[in-house]
């Protein structure tokens, strides 16, 4: 036996997926422990393992927001910046573009620089952009800088000398001397040797800023996992969607800044549709990304903590990071987003979130401010889940908006629903329309739990006719980690290098050494690209490499027209050379799930869901029929455990491929099973077969060690009648409740289905589909079908009205 564990630590919840070659075995979800993130990880891993042998774990893959939060909250270590004489002020001066409200602020003060002016030091040396040594390195100036840094008590240094990408010899000498007295020293030639001095400097500084934190964190994580018997390698998701070793992540910590959001995009990329828009809505934020040809869009520069319009980020705001990252737009809109009235009496939603404590008013945990979750409960889109919701508290919160607005409660609730949908649509707009992409040819893949409730309304705004809600979307990011291949990127700027093949060979050797493989090993893939620009211009575009200058120019001209809308021709020059090396991750021996879940304390609050992360050998057919679910019930989880799901094995093996497939949302995903009994906190209803009723104690409150649903269920819970089969022969039936849709003139009785009750043809809206992880709203004019992957496909009628 052998298992792989995916761990996704978010701002609110920590997800753990335990998988083998047959797909997911169990999933655990608990509140993130911000005072000690590893405590939440260990708790989740322990619960997901159950009585399985931890020594059988072969690999742990981790996505974390540690680096991002350290930058945003300015909680990294103090850094000394060492640069070429005459350029010490480059970073303190920085650059800042005024956007949004900053444009009109007469008392505007730019944010502080990443390194204070007093912590910047110079050494005597100079290298030209072509690598010629103009001024030899003065070693005494380096020793003086080292002494000054040590005297200040600074333990981390970033070295970025002018044009060191062209010749890194001086940087290496400086680093060697600094390391005699300074524990942590990083150089730009090690981190990202690419042109543009300011961006290369800030990238190096950020790596020095968060590197010690990341190294300490990952070291402690390995130690804590070893304490519970897991001694498997720990891998970390990097910003571009690849997976690197913990050792490499510590050395190149800047590559993990966008680690958290990347895994969810990989999940969306594996749904079987070549062109999709990833739409991830959680409790606090919503994120959008374009996936074309099965691969997410990648940017070679992004800004941490920057500002912009509607989810975009303007150059000149925040801290520029010049490493590859999945190109995302993010807005402060989620299930916990607070609705409020501004000074002019206009209704606003977000970006402030009620979070998990005190949470939305309907949680009954002390919150009183109206949130998106409260609005959706008032509208009838939600009902109680394992954490019982209180409609009266939601109604009371919404009345605080309705009264001053002079509208009814349901009108205020729908306004909140519509505003947050518009806010999230702006993120989709940034990654599509603003970049010249017509979104109508894409499918919208909604996950994160709260996303499926708003996905159809977001899609309507762009004329998107297909929405895909993968099976078990609440754990999409954690499941996406299981598909990440070992990979790393390398770049080197060489203006029109005389021998590009030698540059590529050198970069490939470095990348292979990072991953501990040989370029000639079976299954190792190397992709090559090059940055090209017109002579006389200062900015470039990345195109696929070819030795033919004519073909390369043609590709550049085509790309230039795609980006700028101008058909231009002229002489070109090559600026930077890039490679991405991907190594195969051998699957562990097949891990078959036990025939029944482990025993546990039956007094546990029910928070179990399914965790279907079976990996398919190929993309799923969209019209495949859904196989019958495995209705085997599982025992409740322990009283202090996160939600844990034990699933039956599947019959299809995982494909051995280094690509993003096999994927947990692929063709064989349906064969794993459905939710355990106890997934809801309500009494058995018409949709709950005999013997499936769960057992949350009414009024129970969530704590950091208490079982919880995924982020969707916590922010937008709605799981009455969810997939809770009682015995092998039980057949769930739909029920109904009143929900608000303006197209129908207000409240109307709508059918409430689960994925189990959808068989037999399309389900026409208005309707609601609930499972243990999310609630899918099917508005009027839309229809829903269940695919063979157990994904729900929403299809819009060509004659349906728009919202």
């Amino acid at each position: 036996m052998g298992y792989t564990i995916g761990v996704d630590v978010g701002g609110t919840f920590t997800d753990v997926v335990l998988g083998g070659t047959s797909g997911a075995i169990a999933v655990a979800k608990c509140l993130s422990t911000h005072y000690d993130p590893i405590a939440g990880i260990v708790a989740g891993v322990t619960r997901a393992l159950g009585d399985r042998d931890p020594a059988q774990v072969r690999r742990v893959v981790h996505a974390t927001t540690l680096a991002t939060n350290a930058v945003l909250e300015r909680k990294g270590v103090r850094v000394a910046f060492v640069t070429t004489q005459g350029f010490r002020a480059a970073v303190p001066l920085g650059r800042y573009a005024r956007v949004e409200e900053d444009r009109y602020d007469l008392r505007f003060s730019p944010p502080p620089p990443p390194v204070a002016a007093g912590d910047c030091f110079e050494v005597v040396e100079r290298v030209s952009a072509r690598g010629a040594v103009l001024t030899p390195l003065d070693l005494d100036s380096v020793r003086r800088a080292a002494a000054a840094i040590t005297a200040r008590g600074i333990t981390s240094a970033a070295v970025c000398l002018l044009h060191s990408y062209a010749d890194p010899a001086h940087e290496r000498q400086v680093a060697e001397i600094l390391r005699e007295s300074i524990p942590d020293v990083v150089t730009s030639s090690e981190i990202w040797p690419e042109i543009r001095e300011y961006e290369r400097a800030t990238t190096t500084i950020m790596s020095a800023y968060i590197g010690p934190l990341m190294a300490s964190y990952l070291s402690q994580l390995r130690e804590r996992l070893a304490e519970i018997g897991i001694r498997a390698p720990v891998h970390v998701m990097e910003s571009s969607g690849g997976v690197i070793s913990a050792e490499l992540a510590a050395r190149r910590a800047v590559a993990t800044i966008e680690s958290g959001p990347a895994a969810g995009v990989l999940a969306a990329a594996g749904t079987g549709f070549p062109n999709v828009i990833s739409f991830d809505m959680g409790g606090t934020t919503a994120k959008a990304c374009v996936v074309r040809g099965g691969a997410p869009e990648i940017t070679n520069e992004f800004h941490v903590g920057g500002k912009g319009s509607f989810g975009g980020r303007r150059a000149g705001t925040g801290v520029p990071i010049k490493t590859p990252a999945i190109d995302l737009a993010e807005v402060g809109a989620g299930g916990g987003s607070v609705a409020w009235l501004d000074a002019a009496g206009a209704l606003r939603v977000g970006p402030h979130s009620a979070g998990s404590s005190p949470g939305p008013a309907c949680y009954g945990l002390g919150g009183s401010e109206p949130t998106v979750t409260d609005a959706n409960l008032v509208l009838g889109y939600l009902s109680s889940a394992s954490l019982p919701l209180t409609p009266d508290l939601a109604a009371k919160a919404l009345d605080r908006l309705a009264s001053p607005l002079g509208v009814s409660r349901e009108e205020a609730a729908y306004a909140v629903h519509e505003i947050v949908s518009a806010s999230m649509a702006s993120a989709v707009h940034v990654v599509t329309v603003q970049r010249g992409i017509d979104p109508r040819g894409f499918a919208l893949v909604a996950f994160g739990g709260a996303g499926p409730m708003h996905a159809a309304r977001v899609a309507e705004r762009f004329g998107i006719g297909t929405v895909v809600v993968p099976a078990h979307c609440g754990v999409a990011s954690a499941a996406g980690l299981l598909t990440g291949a070992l990979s790393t990127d390398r770049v080197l700027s060489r203006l029109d290098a005389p021998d590009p093949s030698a540059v590529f060979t050198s970069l490939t050797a470095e990348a292979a050494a990072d991953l501990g493989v040989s370029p000639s090993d079976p299954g190792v893939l190397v992709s090559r690209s090059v940055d090209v620009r017109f002579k006389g211009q200062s900015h470039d575009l990345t195109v696929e490499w070819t030795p033919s200058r004519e073909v390369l120019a043609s590709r550049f001209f085509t790309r230039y027209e795609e980006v700028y809308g101008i058909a231009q021709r002229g002489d070109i020059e090559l600026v930077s050379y890039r490679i991405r090396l991907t190594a195969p991750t051998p699957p562990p021996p097949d891990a078959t799930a036990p025939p029944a879940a482990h025993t546990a304390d039956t007094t546990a609050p029910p928070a179990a869901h399914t965790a279907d992360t079976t990996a398919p050998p190929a993309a799923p057919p969209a019209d495949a029929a859904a196989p019958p679910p495995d209705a085997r019930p599982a025992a409740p989880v322990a009283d202090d455990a996160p939600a844990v799901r034990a699933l039956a094995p599947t019959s299809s093996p995982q494909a051995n491929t280094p690509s993003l497939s096999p994927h947990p949302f692929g063709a064989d995903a349906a064969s794993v099973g459905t939710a355990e009994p106890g997934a809801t906190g309500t009494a058995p209803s018409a949709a709950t077969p005999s013997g499936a009723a769960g057992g949350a104690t009414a009024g129970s409150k969530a704590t950091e060690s208490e079982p919880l649903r995924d982020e969707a269920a916590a922010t937008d819970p709605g799981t009455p009648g969810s997939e809770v089969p009682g015995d092998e022969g039980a057949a769930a039936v739909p029920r109904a409740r009143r929900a608000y849709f303006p197209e129908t003139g207000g409240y109307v009785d709508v059918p409430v289905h689960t994925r189990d009750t959808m068989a037999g043809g399309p389900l026409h809206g208005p309707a609601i589909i609930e499972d243990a992880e999310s609630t899918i709203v099917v508005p009027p004019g839309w229809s829903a079908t269940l695919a063979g992957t157990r994904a729900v496909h929403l299809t819009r009628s060509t004659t349906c009205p728009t919202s």
Side-chain angles (χ1 to χ4, degrees):
M1 285 189 177
Y3 305 105
T4 299
I5 292 179
V7 179
D8 178 32
V9 178
T12 306
F13 293 97
T14 295
D15 295 349
V16 178
V17 175
L18 176 72
T21 55
S22 296
I25 305 301
V27 168
K29 183 177 266 311
C30 58
L31 279 174
S32 295
T33 48
H34 298 291
Y35 61 89
D36 180 11
I38 299 175
I41 294 174
V42 173
V45 169
T46 301
R47 304 308 173 186
L49 276 171
D51 56 6
R52 298 177 182 87
D53 182 4
Q56 295 299 318
V57 175
R58 300 289 184 256
R59 183 187 185 211
V60 177
V61 189
H62 182 25
T64 176
T65 56
L66 176 73
T68 308
N69 293 339
V71 175
L72 294 179
E73 298 170 9
R74 304 188 70 84
K75 291 184 177 179
V77 302
R78 187 180 177 185
V79 174
F81 176 58
V82 180
T83 189
T84 301
Q85 186 179 44
F87 291 86
R88 184 177 68 88
V91 169
L93 286 175
R95 65 166 72 109
Y96 196 85
R98 291 196 184 193
V99 296
E100 303 293 355
E101 66 277 2
D102 291 347
R103 296 168 178 159
Y104 312 105
D105 186 357
L106 298 180
R107 293 181 174 85
F108 167 77
S109 296
V115 177
D119 291 340
C120 298
F121 302 89
E122 297 179 342
V123 296
V124 178
E125 69 88 40
R126 187 68 179 264
V127 174
S128 75
R130 300 284 179 176
V133 177
L134 304 179
T135 302
L137 176 63
D138 183 348
L139 299 182
D140 288 337
S141 68
V142 180
R143 295 187 181 96
R144 288 193 298 269
I149 294 170
T150 303
R152 286 174 171 266
I154 301 175
T155 59
S156 183
V159 182
C160 184
L161 304 183
L162 199 66
H163 303 307
S164 61
Y165 56 84
D167 183 355
H170 285 180
E171 270 196 358
R172 291 169 181 167
Q173 288 179 274
V174 171
E176 183 179 354
I177 294 174
L178 293 181
R179 286 179 178 132
E180 294 174 359
S181 56
I182 301 170
D184 299 299
V185 179
V186 297
T187 67
S188 68
S189 54
E190 294 171 342
I191 301 300
W192 206 247
E194 186 177 359
I195 64 168
R196 307 204 181 284
E197 299 304 315
Y198 180 70
E199 289 83 355
R200 184 160 52 87
T202 55
T203 301
T204 308
I205 289 169
M206 286 300 104
S207 197
Y209 185 67
I210 61 180
L213 293 180
M214 184 65 70
S216 174
Y217 169 77
L218 292 174
S219 176
Q220 292 179 49
L221 176 60
R222 287 194 296 264
E223 291 174 1
R224 301 273 284 276
L225 290 175
E227 290 175 1
I228 61 173
I230 297 176
R231 292 175 173 79
V234 175
H235 294 154
V236 180
M237 175 69 69
E238 63 172 1
S239 303
S240 61
V243 173
I244 57 179
S245 67
E247 293 77 14
L248 182 58
R251 296 201 313 268
R252 295 178 57 196
V254 73
T256 68
I257 285 182
E258 291 293 325
S259 167
V265 178
L266 297 187
T271 53
F273 290 78
N275 298 322
V276 303
I277 298 168
S278 167
F279 174 58
D280 177 6
M281 179 184 178
T284 305
T285 62
K287 310 170 191 68
C289 176
V290 168
V291 176
R292 288 195 279 190
E297 293 288 307
I298 300 294
T299 179
N300 290 320
E301 181 180 335
F302 61 98
H303 296 75
V304 181
K307 289 186 177 181
S309 300
F310 310 113
R313 292 293 179 265
R314 282 280 303 276
T317 69
V319 180
I321 304 296
K322 206 162 177 58
T323 60
I326 289 179
D327 196 2
L328 293 159
E330 181 175 333
V331 292
S337 294
V338 174
W340 53 285
L341 301 178
D342 64 15
L347 178 61
R348 305 293 185 95
V349 180
H352 173 65
S353 174
S356 58
S357 178
C362 61
Y363 278 19
L365 303 179
S368 60
E369 294 181 294
T371 66
V372 173
T373 296
D374 296 310
N376 287 329
L377 182 59
V378 167
L379 294 171
Y381 301 158
L382 293 175
S383 185
S384 288
S386 56
L387 176 65
L389 304 182
T390 307
D392 289 345
L393 293 178
K396 183 179 179 180
L398 265 297
D399 285 342
R400 295 175 57 185
L401 297 176
S403 179
L405 289 173
V407 299
S408 66
R409 179 189 300 156
E410 58 268 22
E411 287 174 327
Y414 192 76
V416 171
H417 181 90
E418 200 167 34
I419 289 172
V420 77
S421 294
S423 178
M424 293 182 295
S426 66
V428 177
H429 187 275
V430 166
V431 297
T432 56
V433 178
Q434 285 191 10
R435 297 173 187 176
I437 299 172
D438 186 348
R440 292 173 295 183
F442 290 72
L444 186 73
V445 178
F447 57 95
M453 195 174 312
H454 296 263
R457 295 304 193 188
V458 171
E460 284 177 350
R461 295 175 178 272
F462 298 94
I464 296 172
T466 301
V467 173
V468 180
V469 183
H472 320 299
C473 61
V475 293
S477 292
L481 290 170
L482 302 182
T483 71
L486 281 172
S487 62
T488 188
D489 297 90
R490 282 288 181 173
V491 67
L492 182 63
S493 291
R494 283 282 190 274
L495 297 178
D496 275 329
D499 186 6
S501 62
V503 176
F504 282 126
T505 299
S506 174
L507 292 175
T508 300
E510 293 175 7
D514 284 341
L515 298 184
V517 299
S518 169
S520 60
D521 287 347
V524 171
L525 303 177
V526 180
S527 61
R528 301 178 178 184
S529 57
V530 63
D531 294 350
V532 186
R533 66 186 182 191
F534 285 112
K535 284 189 175 179
Q537 291 191 345
S538 60
H539 293 278
D540 44 62
L541 295 172
T542 303
V543 297
E544 184 182 355
W545 167 254
T546 175
S548 170
R549 190 81 170 194
E550 293 75 16
V551 175
L552 196 62
S554 176
R555 290 175 180 173
F556 170 69
F557 298 151
T558 300
R559 179 62 177 155
Y560 192 93
E561 187 171 359
E562 289 175 355
V563 173
Y564 299 110
I566 300 172
Q568 185 167 321
R569 301 292 184 271
D571 293 337
I572 64 171
E573 61 181 354
L574 312 186
V575 183
S576 299
Y577 301 82
R578 303 177 184 275
I579 68 101
R580 182 174 181 83
L581 186 142
T582 302
T585 303
D590 184 29
T592 303
H598 1 290
T599 58
D601 185 357
T602 58
T603 62
H609 331 297
T610 43
D612 172 4
T613 54
T614 303
D623 57 353
D630 181 349
R632 182 183 296 110
V637 295
D639 185 61
D640 63 344
V644 179
R645 301 175 279 223
L647 307 176
T650 70
S651 58
S652 62
Q654 184 181 40
N656 182 11
T657 169
S659 67
L660 293 184
S661 290
H663 197 277
F665 297 141
D668 294 327
S671 60
V672 175
T674 56
E676 299 176 7
T680 67
T682 57
S685 67
T688 309
S690 172
T697 303
S700 63
K701 295 185 178 182
T703 65
E704 288 181 337
S705 62
E706 206 172 342
L708 289 171
R709 306 146 319 287
D710 58 276
E711 186 167 320
T715 57
D716 286 310
T719 57
S722 60
E723 303 170 76
V724 285
D727 55 59
E728 296 292 340
V733 296
R735 56 189 180 84
R737 72 165 174 258
R738 294 180 65 77
Y740 183 93
F741 293 94
E743 297 93 335
T744 64
Y747 285 100
V748 63
D749 288 331
V750 300
V752 180
H753 282 261
T754 71
R755 299 186 193 233
D756 288 332
T757 65
M758 290 182 60
L763 172 64
H764 297 287
I768 293 172
I769 303 166
E770 293 181 332
D771 58 29
E773 296 176 343
S774 65
T775 296
I776 306 169
V777 173
V778 187
W782 289 78
S783 60
T785 56
L786 187 68
T789 63
R790 293 196 55 88
V792 173
H793 293 180
L794 304 185
T795 305
R796 186 185 181 195
S797 168
T798 56
T799 59
C800 71
T802 58
S803 59

